[in-house]
Amino acid sequence: NAGVTQTPKFRVLKTGQSMTLLCAQDMNHEYMYWYRQDPGMGLRLIHYSVGEGTTAKGEVPDGYNVSRLKKQNFLLGLESAAPSQTSVYFCASSSAPPSSLHFGNGTRLTVT
Amino acid sequence: AQSVTQPDIHITVSEGASLELRCNYSYGATPYLFWYVQSPGQGLQLLLKYFSGDTLVQGIKGFEAEFKRSQSSFNLRKPSVHWSDAAEYFCAVGRTGANNLFFGTGTRLTVIP
């Protein structure tokens, strides 16, 4: 009964370093999303995917890349981390919209 | 463009008191509306949703919300708050043909004994 699993839970990067966040879901959902959550700003969509092999930009895509090579996985990459990317990142999945989203527990990223 | 406004950043209520969290949306057609709750260090959990039909919807944990088209609102209510309800609450809106939800900025609920 895992649902949506995000790894890692915490990460600290230095400016300019790269990293990849992994999201895995076991609900056979077609749609997957990456959001970032910042104080006072709610959740903002970074990128999303409507199926295996597809990706699309959300509201705040700059500085991030994503891949959906397998239906159950959605990866978020930062090629050159910046302090402005310090945030909590949430992955979510859903059936075809307007279904409700199922969220992971988040990854807290700090960029120094 | 659609948007979601949660005008209350922080609300404090006494345990046992009633609760109403406000949510207003901006969208031309009938939206799909959601309320999520986030406990500290956790992801968001769905409380309830409105797609169509009865404008008063019941959710988990004793919460309900009412869709009022004339006021573009979808306020969340609970008749008697429990200490475990302390969390952050997010309203979200979606629409047919859109691939994502738009979230409000959240309301943090503090419950005092």
Side-chain angles (χ1 to χ4, degrees), chain A residues 33 37 48 90 97-98 101 104-105, chain B residues 34 36 38 43 51 90 98-99:
Chain A
Y33 311 82
Q37 184 180 31
Y48 64 97
F90 286 99
L101 273 57
N105 285 336
Chain B
F34 306 82
Y36 286 86
Q38 183 182 31
F51 286 179
F90 291 91
N99 290 322

Side-chain angles (χ1 to χ4, degrees), chain A residues 2-68:
Chain A
V4 178
T5 303
Q6 292 183 232
T7 53
K9 289 181 170 47
F10 301 93
R11 186 72 187 266
V12 178
L13 290 179
K14 295 187 186 305
T15 298
Q17 288 184 320
S18 63
M19 73 163 293
T20 300
L21 305 183
L22 172 64
C23 177
Q25 52 97 2
D26 60 4
M27 295 171 284
N28 202 35
H29 285 159
E30 289 291 337
Y31 289 69
M32 296 188 75
Y33 311 82
W34 277 107
Y35 286 88
R36 60 177 288 173
Q37 184 180 31
D38 302 291
M41 302 189 75
L43 278 76
R44 293 181 292 168
L45 183 66
I46 304 170
H47 286 280
Y48 64 97
S49 167
V50 302
E52 182 178 317
T54 75
T55 63
K57 294 180 180 180
E59 301 170 67
V60 288
D62 293 342
Y64 304 95
N65 57 77
V66 288
S67 64
R68 184 103 180 264

